[in-house]
Amino acid sequence: MTRYLITGGAGFIGSHIAAALRARGDFVRILDNFATGKRANLVAALGSEQGGPLAEFLEGDLRDDAAVRRACQGIDVVFHEAALPSVARSVEDPLTSDDNNIRGTVNLLLAARDAKVRRVVYAGSSSAYGDTPTLPKHEEMPGDPISPYGVTKFTGELYCRSFARVYGMSTVILRYFNVFGPRQDPSSPYSGVIALFCRAAVEGRSATIHGDGEQSRDFTYVDNVVAGNLLAAERDVPPGTVLNVATGSAVTLNQLVSTLGEITGRKLAVTHGAPRTGDIKHSLADISRARKLLGYEPHVTFRAGLERTLEWYRSSAPSTAAPKTVPSA
Ligand code: UD2
């Protein structure tokens, strides 16, 4: 039986990958330090068998050498989801994003190398492309991140490619494009825009748009990202391959607001703030490489994903604490 390690498995995307693996009966180990992950997500990730022979949880930090080495013992495939997300957070505090995302990744790759892990699937980010005027963004474009966060995620990719070349490791890099879905934390000032706007819609509050709302994203429902990961763990792809995981269509924030209004039957009130420093204007993926090499297909549309996500925020009645404001300069 293949044994999987998910770093960041108590987080949003990691918990969905874990749940998919457990649903098919696979062994899953999670390593998480709860920096942004939640204990509550472990229930969804590992089910009632948490702590049993097929569902292990280790609390630990990626920068803790002993914890990471223990986590990699006996593992065949690593899904490396753990990272400090958010462009805005990295603009505030680049050093902490750097330390977690870059040093943490190098530490994990070293432990995976020494434990003879068969494959490492790395959670990359569309922020690696920066603000290229050419759309859609394809993997042959040079990396040119703008924000410190983008630099950390892109550097992690480069390390994955380096470890493929230097140590012969089978690493695969998936560049996620603005993932959304159930369990995405809506309570942090650094939360993703869909989480924040869904919560505002559910609570009948107004949402803040940074800028004119004409910026666009290739918003990708989390189930599509899980499917991409499961394929990337199994398919025969050259070591160090970079693949966009997205839908191949872009939605503006203004369109997001009107779609939320259509689904809820009530227009979401918005206020406008200054554009965020480090922001990218348009993000749209070319997904032909993932289609070709992985057989990847984004089966859940933006609209269907948004309906499911909104339903989850409705039924989970998330924390009532209002998020703190992040300076936009
Ligand atoms: C970046 C990456 C994404 C992922 C993510 C992790 C790009 C294009 N995407 O997402 O792939 O790695 O980082 O954090 O680099 N906004 C508002 N109001 C709000 C919150 C956000 O208007 O209350 C705007 C924000 O200024 C931006 C857009 O919404 O223009 C999306 O912001 P986000 O924080 O959800 O994600 P983004 O694109 O920085």
Side-chain angles (χ1 to χ4, degrees):
M1 178 192 285
T2 308
R3 291 166 63 93
Y4 297 93
L5 168 67
I6 305 173
T7 70
F12 161 49
I13 301 172
S15 70
H16 281 274
I17 297 173
L21 293 169
R22 286 301 305 125
R24 58 183 209 191
D26 289 321
F27 170 93
V28 175
R29 181 182 294 154
I30 284 175
L31 175 70
D32 203 296
N33 67 352
F34 297 119
T36 59
K38 303 258 178 293
R39 279 184 198 279
N41 288 345
L42 288 176
V43 178
L46 296 176
S48 54
E49 290 176 50
Q50 188 188 328
L54 293 177
E56 296 179 0
F57 172 69
L58 297 177
E59 183 167 353
D61 194 292
L62 281 179
R63 296 160 296 179
D64 175 349
D65 194 43
V68 175
R69 285 180 183 276
R70 201 163 56 244
C72 285
Q73 270 322 304
I75 291 296
D76 301 298
V77 175
V78 176
F79 294 103
H80 178 32
E81 310 305 304
L84 269 189
S86 172
V87 168
R89 182 205 310 268
S90 77
V91 172
E92 293 280 293
D93 181 4
L95 206 52
T96 302
S97 294
D98 180 285
D99 196 39
N100 279 270
N101 298 354
I102 300 180
R103 195 169 140 230
T105 294
V106 178
N107 217 23
L108 172 78
L109 287 170
L110 284 170
R113 179 199 67 181
D114 295 347
K116 304 204 172 0
V117 165
R118 177 168 62 74
R119 177 158 291 180
V120 176
V121 183
Y122 172 75
S125 164
S126 61
S127 56
Y129 290 108
D131 222 353
T132 58
T134 311
L135 294 171
K137 303 185 185 202
H138 61 79
E139 297 89 343
E140 293 302 316
M141 289 175 169
D144 189 19
I146 293 176
S147 64
Y149 166 77
V151 171
T152 69
K153 293 305 288 183
F154 183 54
T155 305
E157 286 190 13
L158 296 177
Y159 271 110
C160 288
R161 290 169 66 76
S162 166
F163 273 55
R165 290 180 175 133
V166 174
Y167 305 117
M169 283 176 72
S170 178
T171 55
V172 180
I173 295 125
L174 301 183
R175 283 189 183 157
Y176 302 162
F177 279 64
N178 287 73
V179 188
F180 72 99
R183 297 202 285 281
Q184 189 169 30
D185 181 11
S187 65
S188 158
Y190 303 119
S191 295
V193 70
I194 291 191
L196 290 169
F197 284 18
C198 281
R199 191 173 75 157
V202 165
E203 295 179 355
R205 290 185 295 100
S206 68
T208 304
I209 290 182
H210 300 298
D212 61 6
E214 283 306 300
Q215 65 265 54
S216 62
R217 295 291 183 271
D218 192 334
F219 290 114
T220 309
Y221 187 65
V222 67
D223 284 9
N224 296 326
V225 173
V226 171
N229 273 276
L230 300 186
L231 291 164
E234 283 156 20
R235 293 297 163 104
D236 193 15
V237 290
T241 299
V242 179
L243 299 144
N244 290 339
V245 171
T247 67
S249 53
V251 171
T252 67
L253 291 195
N254 291 330
Q255 287 168 335
L256 165 65
V257 167
S258 63
T259 309
L260 279 171
E262 282 166 28
I263 297 171
T264 60
R266 191 171 52 182
K267 197 172 182 305
L268 177 64
V270 293
T271 56
H272 286 265
R276 271 186 177 167
T277 306
D279 236 16
I280 281 160
K281 187 72 180 174
H282 298 296
S283 182
L284 169 66
D286 179 333
I287 56 171
S288 49
R289 185 184 281 184
R291 278 195 164 116
K292 183 159 172 259
L293 294 187
L294 299 182
Y296 165 79
E297 202 53 53
H299 289 295
V300 185
T301 62
F302 169 70
R303 170 81 183 220
L306 195 59
E307 284 171 3
R308 290 186 205 175
T309 304
L310 201 55
E311 186 46 41
W312 184 82
Y313 286 111
R314 265 198 206 105
S315 62
S316 68
S319 125
T320 50
K324 285 175 251 149
T325 313
V326 182
S328 55

